[in-house]
Amino acid sequence: MQRRVIFDNRALPYLLLAPQVAVTLIFFIWPAAQALWQSVHLQDAFGLRSQFVGLENFQAVLSDPNYLETVKTTIVFSASVTVLSLASALGLAVMADSKIRAASAYKTLLIWPYALAPAVAAVLWMFIFNPDIGILGRALNNLGYAWDYRLNDGQALTMVILAASWKQVSYNFIFFLAGLQAIPRSVLEAASIDGAGAVRRFWTITFPLLSPTTFFLLVVNIVYAFFETFGTIHALTHGGPGKATETLIFRVYQDGVVNHDLGGSSAQSVILMVIVIALTAIQFRFVERKVHYS
Amino acid sequence: MLTRRKLAVSTAAFALAAGFTGAAYAQQKTVVEFWHGLPQPLGGQLEQVVKGFNDSQDKIQVNPTFKGSYPETMQAAIAAFRAGNAPHVVQMFEVGTATMLSAGPAIKPVHQLMSETGSGFDAAAYIPAVRGYYSSKDGKMMALPFNSSTTITFYNKDAFQKAGLDPNKPPATWPEVADAARKLKAAGVTCPMTFSWPTWTQFEQVGALHDKPFASEANGFGGLNATLKINDPFFVKHLQTLIDLQKEGALRYGGRDNAADSLFPSGECAMIQASSGLRGRIIKEAKFNWGAAPLPYWPDAIASPKNSIIGGAAFWVMTSPKRTADEYKAVAAFFSYLARPEVDAKWHMDTGYVPVTLQGFELAKKEGFYDKNPGAEVPAEQLTRTATTENTMGLRLGNLPEIRNIIQEEMEKAFQGQQTAQQALDNAVKRGDTVLRNFERANKN
């Protein structure tokens, strides 16, 4: 058996790999190492004084009852955003995939929100839900429902979940639609002829055949909910009221950038990194078994 | 079509322009990098002030750069310092004062800069409440005050009229405020009163007005070992009053930071305690008659209120390994220009920030600004009405932005009924003290 068929030059494969390796080193390994170093130090804001404190930062973070609350909030938030944005995107994709009038117009409209920056999306939501200036917020209050997300934990969390999910639906929609269009029509037609209804066709044929897409989106969405919803939360609620909408990544920003607690913030980044590595490992080890690749 | 003549003219113009730039280079202007955190339209007005300085002489060029909000500007300056590339001057909000002072060799105190460069600089020219905030324990000016504001009350005269209240006699005490709020509510006003910057207006200012400490060690001026004092019965009673008014529908919590600002100009809320800097926006947006009044006080706690404390920002001089004496001289010249009464008064009249120098205040008076703009003198009067005590000089607490957030969070939980006023303030003190201890540890030499 011939092993090296492509490269007869020893250096070339390394050279071709070099850009990717360099990017990984500069943009991942180096910052990660910095975070590790800072997480075991106590520093003033200007970096003039720095002392080694061992695992004290981790201990301080993990023994803070507010941090554990934030972990809970993050779990609720991420699970809700993932489920909501996947389910609604799948629903919309199935509808857009069927033979309807002006399907391309719907598709375009559905993809639009993805082009918005998270902060811009949040401002749009504020114009809808702010109890003083928002169209719907004012209407709710006029109807006698006390809507004020600045002072109601549940309402605030619901709103950031909706806003963050809405933002992600477009992305999921594109992938689901592509996945749906890749499913051979002949299989579905054969099932129809055999007398399977629309619901049955969906759950026994379409959904299993979509599983690689769904799995990919599951990973992407969890990462999105963990890391990329910061802008939405920051612009809408600043993590409040109380700490009701503070997620882990929001607190990393808050402690590091606003509060200049670099040690504590780095310790949290390291914890967050471990959580996401663990989540990804679990997904690939267990969830992937249920995925059918044709 | 480009005729030969046009071509000749434009070539000449081009040559002339090139010649000017060449001349500027030949003169070797000293460049001063200046980072600020004022968004439009204030940022543009600040850049006009800088332009005024640049046009006033031909040896120094100050380059203003907008770096985002105050916290972002602070972050940018810290990152630049760490990279050995700090700007010459950075505008820093008042709550960042303790952090800047603890930076030690990263900053050059203004009094030192001015004496080293031999500029005739008189710290006593500044309003005491402003001077106190930016001075060291022994009274030396550490940063150059520039855009300072304070909290005042704005009220809607039309709504007052509708509720049967005297529109020319705003409530002066908290019991009168509560009474007015109830009457406004009875008259159908959905939001009788609100406040911006919850911690600043309801604890920092209320403490100063009543000569009560916000924290021990003279509000932190005495040392890094300060602890918070806001779970004192006085503050608990104050917060309880706010909670009660909110339950009755006489007060609305408008959100963190300046989120409540929009509620007054829109006509939604009839009274607001907010930064005096809100004035410009109210003039532009409000479609009703309004007035400005000093902050209310508790007559059972103090017979006549003390001066309020300031907000806003000051200019800090930063150091860098490659900085030359000429550059510091240029910064000193820039600062001397900013301290001129006419520059100060113009900035005050253009923006709604308070005049920071006594002479600037006098100049604005002399020009008849307050006769034409009734109520515009309220902030400066409130700041200067008494001599400062150790409780009214301002706050010198490490990581004050974080402590402000903690207090806001605990207040919000109390407003929701999840905890009592006492529990909220006890929690705030406990969490705030942890922040202070960490700051103390990280900044001990």
Side-chain angles (χ1 to χ4, degrees):
Chain A
M1 223 211 226
Q2 182 84 330
R3 276 197 173 170
R4 277 185 235 126
V5 279
I6 302 167
F7 298 109
D8 45 6
N9 183 328
R10 262 170 187 276
L12 187 61
Y14 294 103
L15 198 69
L16 291 176
L17 266 179
Q20 178 62 42
V21 172
V23 166
T24 313
L25 278 175
I26 295 170
F27 292 103
F28 180 71
I29 305 292
W30 186 47
Q34 283 258 316
L36 274 171
W37 186 86
Q38 289 195 331
S39 68
V40 291
H41 284 80
L42 184 69
Q43 254 190 357
D44 73 303
F46 287 82
L48 298 163
R49 293 166 285 258
S50 168
Q51 43 181 310
F52 180 76
V53 292
L55 295 178
E56 247 179 70
N57 288 323
F58 289 94
Q59 198 202 340
V61 164
L62 293 174
S63 61
D64 178 1
N66 283 319
Y67 189 72
L68 304 179
E69 277 300 309
T70 302
V71 171
K72 261 189 236 162
T73 309
T74 311
I75 292 171
V76 173
F77 175 80
S78 305
S80 310
V81 169
T82 307
V83 170
L84 206 63
S85 58
L86 281 177
S88 47
L90 181 57
L92 290 167
V94 168
M95 286 193 271
D97 190 40
S98 56
K99 302 224 176 313
I100 42 171
R101 249 180 234 196
S104 61
Y106 290 127
K107 287 173 201 166
T108 312
L109 289 175
L110 280 164
I111 290 165
W112 258 358
Y114 194 65
L116 284 180
V120 177
V123 170
L124 282 178
W125 278 72
M126 206 150 76
F127 280 127
I128 299 173
F129 282 109
N130 186 292
D132 300 306
I133 55 169
I135 298 167
L136 216 60
R138 287 182 75 108
L140 282 170
N141 278 305
N142 289 341
L143 290 171
Y145 180 77
W147 168 266
D148 188 355
Y149 62 83
R150 292 168 308 205
L151 271 184
N152 185 311
D153 288 3
Q155 290 176 356
L157 191 58
T158 310
M159 190 177 63
V160 289
I161 287 171
L162 286 176
S165 306
W166 173 76
K167 182 84 188 67
Q168 186 66 4
V169 163
S170 312
Y171 182 87
N172 296 346
F173 172 80
I174 298 170
F175 278 85
F176 273 134
L177 191 65
L180 284 171
Q181 289 176 345
I183 292 173
R185 296 280 144 185
S186 54
V187 182
L188 291 168
E189 278 160 15
S192 283
I193 292 166
D194 287 345
V199 176
R200 196 180 161 88
R201 280 202 308 272
F202 178 79
W203 287 114
T204 54
I205 299 169
T206 312
F207 192 68
L209 285 176
L210 262 184
S211 61
T213 310
T214 314
F215 176 67
F216 163 75
L217 287 177
L218 183 70
V219 178
V220 168
N221 277 266
I222 288 177
V223 171
Y224 163 79
F226 261 83
F227 293 105
E228 282 160 51
T229 49
F230 166 79
T232 309
I233 296 176
H234 184 63
L236 271 178
T237 62
H238 282 275
K243 280 184 173 294
T245 53
E246 189 183 83
T247 57
L248 291 169
I249 191 75
F250 189 83
R251 180 154 166 172
V252 169
Y253 162 82
Q254 191 73 21
D255 281 356
V257 176
V258 180
N259 302 336
H260 304 294
D261 175 12
L262 293 177
S265 175
S266 303
Q268 290 172 40
S269 307
V270 172
I271 294 171
L272 200 53
M273 192 162 73
V274 171
I275 293 176
V276 171
I277 290 173
L279 268 179
T280 314
I282 290 169
Q283 286 174 345
F284 276 91
R285 183 129 173 66
F286 299 105
V287 184
E288 203 191 19
R289 283 188 191 165
K290 305 209 187 302
V291 173
H292 169 85
Y293 294 99
S294 50
Chain B
M1 209 171 80
L2 198 63
T3 62
R4 182 170 295 178
R5 193 166 158 189
K6 267 189 191 158
L7 187 68
V9 170
S10 58
T11 314
F14 183 75
L16 208 59
F20 272 128
T21 354
Y25 273 113
Q27 271 182 6
Q28 281 292 320
K29 279 193 181 183
T30 311
V31 174
V32 172
E33 292 300 333
F34 165 47
W35 290 3
H36 73 86
L38 283 179
Q40 296 301 340
L42 288 169
Q45 285 171 305
L46 177 59
E47 278 157 21
Q48 282 304 309
V49 174
V50 173
K51 189 173 175 293
F53 170 74
N54 284 339
D55 293 347
S56 74
Q57 43 69 51
D58 52 10
K59 294 202 175 60
I60 304 161
Q61 169 77 32
V62 179
N63 293 331
T65 313
F66 174 60
K67 282 282 166 179
S69 67
Y70 285 143
E72 282 160 8
T73 305
M74 186 173 191
Q75 198 55 33
I78 289 173
F81 174 79
R82 284 177 159 229
N85 239 336
H88 298 80
V89 180
V90 66
Q91 182 188 33
M92 191 72 69
F93 59 163
E94 90 287 10
V95 285
T97 306
T99 304
M100 288 309 278
L101 282 177
S102 68
I107 60 148
K108 196 174 191 61
V110 163
H111 72 87
Q112 200 184 325
L113 172 86
M114 293 314 217
S115 66
E116 274 177 19
T117 52
S119 325
F121 178 75
D122 182 17
Y126 286 83
I127 285 176
V130 173
R131 192 172 61 221
Y133 207 110
Y134 295 112
S135 290
S136 64
K137 216 186 338 180
D138 48 359
K140 291 192 168 136
M141 191 77 100
M142 303 303 283
L144 187 84
F146 182 69
N147 57 319
S148 290
S149 57
T150 192
T151 313
I152 58 167
T153 307
F154 293 101
Y155 67 101
N156 183 328
K157 287 188 171 178
D158 293 353
F160 266 52
Q161 201 120 40
K162 198 175 133 199
L165 293 157
D166 184 350
N168 294 315
K169 197 175 164 297
T173 66
W174 273 101
E176 284 172 31
V177 166
D179 187 50
R182 289 187 184 113
K183 282 193 179 131
L184 286 161
K185 183 178 181 274
V189 176
T190 51
C191 170
M193 74 169 295
T194 188
F195 48 82
S196 293
W197 301 103
T199 313
W200 186 47
T201 61
Q202 300 309 315
F203 292 98
E204 297 169 31
Q205 297 291 12
V206 166
L209 252 52
H210 299 86
D211 207 7
K212 301 269 189 224
F214 183 88
S216 69
E217 306 302 319
N219 282 343
F221 276 80
L224 292 177
N225 56 337
T227 55
L228 296 182
K229 291 284 177 205
I230 50 169
N231 55 351
D232 177 89
F234 170 74
F235 288 111
V236 174
K237 182 192 157 196
H238 181 69
L239 180 56
Q240 191 59 53
T241 309
L242 299 179
I243 293 170
D244 292 344
L245 285 171
Q246 185 233 359
K247 276 206 191 107
E248 287 174 42
L251 179 147
R252 178 166 324 159
Y253 175 80
R256 294 183 185 182
D257 300 346
N258 62 348
D261 274 359
S262 61
L263 297 180
F264 184 77
S266 69
E268 185 88 14
C269 288
M271 287 188 276
I272 187 170
Q273 294 174 1
S275 165
S276 56
L278 186 57
R279 183 186 179 86
R281 180 167 172 191
I282 298 175
I283 291 172
K284 222 164 63 189
E285 295 175 12
K287 293 188 181 67
F288 49 83
N289 292 311
W290 54 275
L295 287 177
Y297 64 99
W298 286 102
D300 53 350
I302 197 161
S304 68
K306 300 274 174 198
N307 67 284
S308 58
I309 54 177
I310 60 165
F315 295 166
W316 293 82
V317 185
M318 295 191 78
T319 61
S320 163
K322 41 185 183 221
R323 201 133 296 168
T324 64
D326 267 356
E327 289 173 356
Y328 285 122
K329 239 182 229 162
V331 173
F334 177 47
F335 278 13
S336 299
Y337 176 82
L338 295 176
R340 286 188 199 171
E342 63 273 21
V343 175
D344 180 35
K346 183 170 188 320
W347 170 254
H348 156 59
M349 293 186 286
D350 288 351
T351 61
Y353 281 107
V354 295
V356 286
T357 62
L358 295 162
Q359 276 182 301
F361 187 24
E362 290 305 320
L363 196 62
K365 263 190 218 166
K366 214 164 42 190
E367 286 186 13
F369 178 66
Y370 303 115
D371 303 328
K372 278 174 261 163
N373 301 279
E377 75 288 1
V378 171
E381 278 178 6
Q382 188 179 261
L383 277 173
T384 50
R385 67 184 165 198
T386 58
T388 53
T389 73
E390 62 176 35
N391 294 323
T392 68
M393 283 210 316
L395 303 168
R396 188 56 54 74
L397 299 171
N399 278 344
L400 188 52
E402 182 172 9
I403 295 171
R404 277 187 168 177
N405 275 333
I406 288 173
I407 297 172
Q408 286 182 150
E409 285 169 12
E410 297 297 339
M411 265 175 101
E412 284 169 353
K413 286 188 194 164
F415 275 127
Q416 291 181 69
Q418 290 176 11
Q419 58 186 3
T420 64
Q422 182 74 55
Q423 284 166 336
L425 295 177
D426 285 345
N427 283 342
V429 167
K430 205 172 102 198
R431 290 175 59 196
D433 282 348
T434 310
V435 172
L436 289 173
R437 292 297 73 76
N438 285 339
F439 185 81
E440 186 182 8
R441 247 184 88 194
N443 288 286
K444 226 175 228 168
N445 285 317

